[in-house]
Amino acid sequence: MQNSYDQVALDLFRPVRLNRSHLIWLGILTIALFLCLYAYSIQLREGLGVAGVRDYVSWGMYISNFVFFVASSLIGMLISAVLGLIGMKWIRPLTRIAEIIALAFAAVAGLVIISDMGRPERLPYLFLHGRIQSPILWDVTVVTTYVLISALLLYLPLIPDLAIGKKILNKPKFLVKLYEILSVKWRGTKAQWEIIHRSMRILLILIIPVALAIHTVTSWLFASTPRVGWNSTIFGPYFVSGAFVAGIACVIIAMYFFRKNYHLEKYITELHFNNMAKLLVLVSLVYLYFNINEFLVPGYKLEHGDAIHLKDIFIGHNAGLFWFAQLFGIIIPIILLLFRQMRKPFPMLILAILIFFASWIKRYIIVVPTQEHPFLPIQHVPANFLIYKPTLIEIAITLASFILVLMIITVLSKLFPVIPVWEMQEEFELKEKGNQS
Amino acid sequence: MKRLISLTRLILLISLFHHITISLFAEDWIVPPDKAEKTAPFVFSKESVEKGAELFVKNCQSCHGDPTRGNFAKLDPTPEDPASEKFKELTDGEMFYKITNGRGTMPQFKMILSEDDRWDLISYIRSFHSGYIQPEPELTSMTGAGERASMTILFDSLSKMVTISVYTVKNDMKSPVKGAEVLFFVKRYFGNLSLGDAVRTNEEGIISYPFPDGIAGDSTGQLTLIAQLNESSGYGNAKKAILVPLGVPTEWISLTAPRAMWNINFKAPVWLILSYSLTVLGVLLALVYIMLQIRKIFYLGSAVDDAKSDKP
């Protein structure tokens, strides 16, 4: 009995070390990041003109990417809070992965916004001169809060693990020291456990409205304007349901890689993939429902502006992207995941990668095409102002944000066990007790 | 039969399309003959050229450039230099028609410039055309029409009546204008409020204007009444304004005075300030509480350690 209990800790702490392949991977990411930061230095020097955004399409790739990042970060709330609070036991090994993804995307989302500023040094003006009536101020507030809560939600259940890890790990030295400090003298007393449980419950309840707010307010950045394609009363739930689809895709990709590279097959089983697939179908169906509402209702009435916008994305020059997003982001996964064979790890990895891309493109479709049809007639501007084309510099800066997310996930998943150790130990204990009786 | 009909339709459609393209995009901008014959209602003078020059800078220069210098904007079709031969060949009426109606990138000035303004502009453009001789100014059939009439506006505070008198001056002799149309407006923040159809002058060239009831004035009921000759009746566009106490006294509340969603930060709605601040405060307090709990874990752990070290 003692043996398997310790074995759990040994298994889960095995990947926590610095090895060469890991350092090479981080090195590659760092070099790529610096190349992309060079692109940003050009933008900083020359101004936003080096990006494809112009007078008419002023929200381009950066803002689409921001929406995608906020969306992906919502998964932390769904996995840890919603499923955790309703007592889904199978989800426990996935909670930390979801939290790491949530924290990484939410933290970088703020930077993505700054990349869309021509004069980033004026960021403090947002707080000095911001209007409390502006959804942009609400968004900044709520994203910051979400990053804080996500960090705490990652940290709190980590405290007992840190105390366990301190005993198991003997190198590297700095890591042992880090564990010592971060474990805040965890001795596993009853009083300490009570604090952890109570604080976790508070945070898990708190994160639900905050996470809903973060993406609803992000949707209001669009929906509070009268622009065709944004002027929608269901934008909040439309964004939130879409966020869960994107977030689950992220978690599935991460699950696959951690399972494979960290040899966690015993802890992240095919059952987990199977359950995540069902969860994915559920949220995709909800998202599909909102999509039908979002497009069918204006499509039925075809008011002047809607007619132009819908024609553009249904059969116009944005149709390819739109149908790719809708088919690979929602419809095909729903159909394929009905089959048991598709709910196996590898097919799900492929589907998740497709959904991930499709979700990104969906955000682009939401943000960009409507701006190509301004309310005022276009006069005295070059024709290329009308159609948005992202530049290489813009793409590089956007890639930088993804590299940053990967770096954060890599570092966190190397410094700490990606599966909550004490929760797994608890599960094993219960299982063995069950076997004995 | 059906096929024949659809074929005829197709041919019709093609010819119609052809016609449209020809008339829209043809190089020549054809002005209807009756419009092309139109002439100015006054003789071009040094004053009209000066006035036209001023209007040209405001309305035309951005595309047509400085006359004689050929620095017009690179648009398609080219706006051309007004001093050029192409402009010289136009009749005054053609030029007037083109300025009035516009086409393609050339804007319509019907609503932007008065007829006199447009003629002043033409007189300015003509000043660059050597050898130009102005045709006889156009005179309408009405007596005295074509002359620019003057106007006086008076308010009698006893009878509360507004009196307009329209007259022309020739050789220091005032002669009243009968049947001149006068339009009335009240000055407002954004543009003027029209008070309805034009009123005609009587035999003596006079209008006793019954100011309508219920028009809002300032806090003392003062408002600015504007009377303007209707240009199309042919006596120019003289305009006079007068401050009259005929309005309903009204307290104007500034649009930016009350708290509103679209107002400045300090005038945000109270409910919004409260819900934002309280929500942020509530979440922050919760987070501070969690931080304190983490500190408590630390103290509890220290206590355990101390207890252990006390025991030998």
Side-chain angles (χ1 to χ4, degrees), chain A residues 126 129-141 217 220-221 224, chain B residues 260-265 268-269 272 276:
Chain A
L126 193 70
H129 309 295
R131 286 169 68 249
I132 198 174
Q133 295 100 314
S134 165
I136 291 181
L137 189 78
W138 310 342
D139 210 40
V140 173
T141 315
V217 171
W220 287 349
L221 297 180
S224 56
Chain B
M261 211 63 184
W262 40 263
N263 217 325
I264 54 167
N265 205 9
L272 181 71
Y276 177 87

Side-chain angles (χ1 to χ4, degrees), chain A residues 273-320:
Chain A
F273 280 90
N274 192 36
N275 285 349
M276 284 303 276
K278 289 174 184 169
L279 187 63
L280 179 57
V281 172
L282 174 71
V283 295
S284 296
L285 283 172
V286 177
Y287 190 40
L288 177 67
Y289 168 72
F290 279 112
N291 267 276
I292 292 170
N293 277 277
E294 183 58 25
F295 292 109
L296 187 85
V297 176
Y300 188 88
K301 293 176 284 191
L302 278 186
E303 283 179 66
H304 180 69
D306 285 321
I308 296 170
H309 173 62
L310 291 179
K311 195 179 160 199
D312 176 52
I313 57 174
F314 286 172
I315 50 173
H317 91 275
N318 285 305

Side-chain angles (χ1 to χ4, degrees), chain A residues 16-34:
Chain A
V16 181
R17 67 201 151 98
L18 293 176
N19 50 353
R20 189 191 277 174
S21 61
H22 181 248
L23 287 176
I24 290 173
W25 168 237
L26 263 184
I28 293 170
L29 286 180
T30 313
I31 291 166
L33 183 70
F34 271 99

Side-chain angles (χ1 to χ4, degrees), chain A residues 10-314:
Chain A
L10 285 177
D11 280 352
L12 296 179
F13 272 104
R14 196 186 316 112
V16 181
R17 67 201 151 98
L18 293 176
N19 50 353
R20 189 191 277 174
S21 61
H22 181 248
L23 287 176
I24 290 173
W25 168 237
L26 263 184
I28 293 170
L29 286 180
T30 313
I31 291 166
L33 183 70
F34 271 99
L35 285 178
C36 295
L37 284 182
Y38 173 68
Y40 184 67
S41 77
I42 296 174
Q43 180 179 302
L44 211 53
R45 195 174 60 234
E46 307 287 331
L48 268 180
V50 298
V53 285
R54 293 289 180 268
D55 295 31
Y56 294 97
V57 183
S58 55
W59 280 3
M61 220 176 185
Y62 298 144
I63 301 294
S64 315
N65 197 39
F66 167 73
V67 177
F68 179 78
F69 272 46
V70 174
S72 301
S73 75
L74 236 58
I75 191 61
M77 174 273 255
L78 179 71
I79 301 270
S80 313
V82 177
L83 296 178
L85 281 176
I86 57 175
M88 292 274 178
K89 285 270 186 306
W90 65 268
I91 204 77
R92 293 170 90 180
L94 305 180
T95 49
R96 189 163 295 156
I97 296 177
E99 268 327 313
I100 289 175
I101 289 175
L103 180 64
F105 275 110
V108 180
L111 291 178
V112 173
I113 279 292
I114 294 172
S115 74
D116 196 47
M117 296 175 71
R119 298 285 300 269
E121 80 278 10
R122 289 184 181 173
L123 186 68
Y125 288 12
L126 193 70
F127 303 97
L128 296 174
H129 309 295
R131 286 169 68 249
I132 198 174
Q133 295 100 314
S134 165
I136 291 181
L137 189 78
W138 310 342
D139 210 40
V140 173
T141 315
V142 86
V143 170
T144 321
T145 315
Y146 188 73
V147 173
L148 277 176
I149 300 182
S150 295
L152 280 174
L153 255 184
L154 180 65
Y155 174 58
L156 270 183
L158 198 59
I159 294 175
D161 282 6
L162 294 169
I164 299 168
K166 201 175 62 185
K167 287 175 205 153
I168 293 176
L169 297 175
N170 39 19
K171 61 176 184 154
K173 272 228 167 64
F174 84 93
L175 199 58
V176 180
K177 190 78 201 149
L178 185 73
Y179 271 45
E180 170 74 44
I181 295 167
L182 287 180
S183 64
V184 284
K185 294 208 172 183
W186 176 264
R187 300 292 178 263
T189 64
K190 210 176 156 222
Q192 283 181 325
W193 275 114
E194 260 169 29
I195 289 174
I196 284 282
H197 286 306
R198 187 174 52 230
S199 306
M200 281 294 289
R201 211 162 36 245
I202 293 172
L203 279 179
L204 288 176
I205 292 169
L206 190 64
I207 201 170
I208 295 176
V210 173
L212 285 177
I214 160 179
H215 214 34
T216 307
V217 171
T218 304
S219 85
W220 287 349
L221 297 180
F222 302 93
S224 56
T225 73
R227 189 183 281 280
V228 163
W230 294 352
N231 183 6
S232 162
T233 54
I234 62 160
F235 243 40
Y238 175 56
F239 269 44
V240 170
S241 57
F244 290 154
V245 177
I248 290 180
C250 292
V251 170
I252 291 171
I253 296 171
M255 271 165 76
Y256 186 89
F257 277 101
F258 288 140
R259 181 178 192 251
K260 196 123 184 121
N261 293 336
Y262 291 4
H263 305 291
L264 300 171
E265 286 85 353
K266 216 161 91 190
Y267 303 90
I268 302 175
T269 61
E270 294 209 351
L271 170 92
H272 291 103
F273 280 90
N274 192 36
N275 285 349
M276 284 303 276
K278 289 174 184 169
L279 187 63
L280 179 57
V281 172
L282 174 71
V283 295
S284 296
L285 283 172
V286 177
Y287 190 40
L288 177 67
Y289 168 72
F290 279 112
N291 267 276
I292 292 170
N293 277 277
E294 183 58 25
F295 292 109
L296 187 85
V297 176
Y300 188 88
K301 293 176 284 191
L302 278 186
E303 283 179 66
H304 180 69
D306 285 321
I308 296 170
H309 173 62
L310 291 179
K311 195 179 160 199
D312 176 52
I313 57 174
F314 286 172

